[in-house]
Amino acid sequence: MSDKRRSHDGSVGKGAYIALAMCLVAIGMIAFITMLTSRSTVQDVPDADTPVVQADPAPIVPATKPEVVEVAPAPTEAAPVAEPEEIPEPEELVPTVVSPLDGTTVTVFSMTELMYDETMADWRTHNGMDIQAGEGDAVKTAADGVVKSVEKDELMGVTVVIEHAGGYTTQYSSLQEDPPVAVDQQVKAGEIIGYVGSTAAAESNMGPHLHFSVSKDGEVIDPREYVK
């Protein structure tokens, strides 16, 4: 009986050891798996004491308008500037010329055809124009000039001669005595240089009138070419 108990007790003892060993193996495996799981979790979740560095987002830089660089054109050779021509004054272009007397023209200029002179009772040329007017009517100089002579001509009576620019000379005859101008006196166009009279012996039959003649460079011309 004691041999059976011992045999039974030995079997029981071995089984207990095997069961205990298996339990220990199972516990070890569980502990090992638990340790691996815990390590993975610890690696995934940062420690509370570990500082977390947060990266700030990159600043947004506004787009800028591209700078436009103006390129100066290549210098070109400037054309020479012509100096303005001097413009003469109007009086230099066309001198002021006025009619010496308001009246009626009774004898015209004629140097190519002979005209009958009632006073002299003959045919002759006429180097000017005769303007009939009232005794004492004012006679004016035709243009600016200088008095060249004041005299009493034997045939043409009291005569005033005035020199003008451009080679012109004007003559005023059959004036009254003592005209209001003197030799070398400057006169302006339209200025009174005498008064209508009847002093021209060669034209006395005409009564009061002005004998007006014009010369250009010493040659007599038609007064109507000078006084328009």
Side-chain angles (χ1 to χ4, degrees):
M1 177 133 185
S2 57
D3 293 336
K4 292 181 179 181
R5 180 170 295 192
R6 285 179 185 173
S7 177
H8 176 75
D9 290 339
S11 300
V12 173
K14 290 180 181 180
Y17 285 128
I18 293 172
L20 179 60
M22 293 180 66
C23 288
L24 291 174
V25 172
I27 292 171
M29 292 181 65
I30 292 172
F32 179 74
I33 293 172
T34 301
M35 182 184 64
L36 291 178
T37 304
S38 298
R39 183 176 296 177
S40 176
T41 304
V42 171
Q43 289 179 353
D44 294 339
V45 179
D47 189 359
D49 295 334
T50 303
V52 179
V53 179
Q54 295 183 351
D56 294 333
I60 300 175
V61 180
T64 59
K65 185 178 180 180
E67 182 179 357
V68 178
V69 179
E70 296 183 358
V71 179
T76 57
E77 184 177 354
V81 179
E83 295 184 0
E85 296 182 1
E86 184 177 353
I87 300 176
E89 297 295 328
E91 57 267 21
E92 296 179 1
L93 295 175
V94 181
T96 301
V97 178
V98 300
S99 176
L101 176 66
D102 294 331
T104 303
T105 301
V106 293
T107 309
V108 297
F109 175 84
S110 179
M111 293 300 291
T112 56
E113 296 182 6
L114 298 178
M115 301 181 67
Y116 184 74
D117 186 332
E118 293 182 358
T119 301
M120 304 301 291
D122 62 8
W123 294 84
R124 61 181 62 197
T125 59
H126 194 250
N127 67 354
M129 57 190 300
D130 295 325
I131 305 173
Q132 200 167 47
E135 182 79 25
D137 284 356
V139 177
K140 299 168 288 186
T141 180
D144 297 353
V146 179
V147 177
K148 181 180 180 181
S149 65
V150 179
E151 61 185 9
K152 186 173 183 179
D153 184 81
E154 183 179 352
L155 293 178
M156 301 308 300
V158 177
T159 300
V160 174
V161 178
I162 299 176
E163 290 184 338
H164 309 280
Y168 288 96
T169 302
T170 54
Q171 177 180 319
Y172 312 80
S173 299
S174 193
L175 301 175
Q176 289 184 346
E177 300 285 348
D178 301 322
V181 290
V183 176
D184 295 331
Q185 179 179 334
Q186 297 279 344
V187 290
K188 295 290 185 181
E191 185 175 340
I192 296 175
I193 50 90
Y195 300 93
V196 174
S198 303
T199 59
E203 299 177 345
S204 59
N205 285 355
M206 291 184 181
H209 74 284
L210 168 69
H211 178 88
F212 176 62
S213 63
V214 180
S215 297
K216 175 71 166 68
D217 298 328
E219 299 291 334
V220 291
I221 62 172
D222 191 340
R224 290 174 297 184
E225 296 179 6
Y226 185 65
V227 180
K228 303 298 183 180

